[in-house]
Amino acid sequence: MSGEQRLTTEPTRRRLTERQADTVRRLTDAAVEEVREAGYEGLTVRNVARRAGVAPATAYTYFASKNHLITEVFWRRLSALAPVDADGPLLDRVVAVLREIALLVSDEPELGAACTTAMLGTDPDVRELRVRIGAAIRERIQAALRDQDDPKIVGALELAYTGALVHAGMGYTSYARMADRLAEMAKLILPDPE
């Protein structure tokens, strides 16, 4: 490798070289595959490391726990979303933002349930990512609200999303249905356009 490696910033733990960032990407990809096959209960960092072709000790240098690993998967998907489209009617903008966040894991119910469980973890790396995820969701909602950025409305929409995520994670509704329920909540929360 060259003497001066380009560094890539990762959400938690430390700055990574391109090679290290590739290892983290392989681990997060392997975690998704492992959840598909074994579910959250059967997921271990050791099995993910094996699937990614890295030593378990290497995996643990990047991820403190399976909760940290799965929360990172959600964070990466959220971070990869396109910027919020601030055009169109208020309700349409807000519903679009809530829908895209709700649908991040909707086509993979096992992964969705794993993300919900993992994000409730208490280890420091999960807490840090949870704060970042919450801030990113808030920013997306605020961008959709534009000039209607009332803290009470933002808070209500955040709580609606969080409640819907937990509701889906508990199996009371599907992640796909969660998007429709959030649209209903947005209609109740947002001011009448007239």
Side-chain angles (χ1 to χ4, degrees):
M1 284 215 151
S2 67
E4 193 174 309
Q5 296 178 341
R6 194 176 120 229
L7 295 178
T8 306
T9 302
E10 288 297 316
T12 58
R13 297 221 142 175
R14 63 182 186 202
R15 292 174 54 86
L16 303 176
T17 64
E18 287 184 38
R19 181 173 173 221
Q20 292 168 326
D22 180 62
T23 300
V24 170
R25 182 197 50 75
R26 287 187 300 143
L27 286 164
T28 55
D29 290 348
V32 172
E33 291 300 318
E34 194 68 21
V35 166
R36 284 179 187 147
E37 288 183 19
Y40 178 75
E41 296 77 23
L43 177 75
T44 66
V45 174
R46 184 172 295 280
N47 287 344
V48 170
R50 179 188 41 74
R51 184 181 289 272
V54 303
T58 300
Y60 279 110
T61 64
Y62 299 108
F63 299 105
S65 65
K66 73 180 188 178
N67 286 342
H68 180 203
L69 179 57
I70 294 299
T71 303
E72 177 76 18
V73 169
F74 188 87
W75 169 248
R76 285 171 174 260
R77 288 186 177 197
L78 179 62
S79 298
L81 290 175
V84 173
D85 182 2
D87 293 330
L90 174 64
L91 179 61
D92 293 349
R93 294 190 314 261
V94 171
V95 166
V97 163
L98 293 172
R99 184 174 296 283
E100 73 181 348
I101 296 168
L103 296 177
L104 282 176
V105 291
S106 67
D107 59 341
E108 301 171 88
E110 285 289 335
L111 179 61
C115 287
T116 300
T117 301
M119 285 191 281
L120 297 174
T122 59
D123 59 337
D125 293 311
V126 171
R127 282 195 305 260
E128 181 180 336
L129 280 172
R130 191 170 49 233
V131 167
R132 291 177 185 212
I133 288 166
I137 290 170
R138 183 178 313 109
E139 288 169 9
R140 294 187 77 76
I141 291 170
Q142 288 172 323
L145 287 169
R146 284 193 332 219
D147 55 343
Q148 299 289 325
D149 185 8
D150 178 332
K152 290 179 182 176
I153 292 173
V154 173
L157 291 169
E158 285 177 310
L159 284 173
Y161 171 76
T162 304
L165 183 67
V166 171
H167 207 249
M170 293 172 64
Y172 294 141
T173 190
S174 69
Y175 286 87
R177 176 73 178 117
M178 183 174 104
D180 295 335
R181 298 292 308 274
L182 283 168
E184 294 166 6
M185 295 301 100
K187 289 176 187 173
L188 292 173
I189 294 168
L190 291 172
D192 195 351
E194 296 180 293

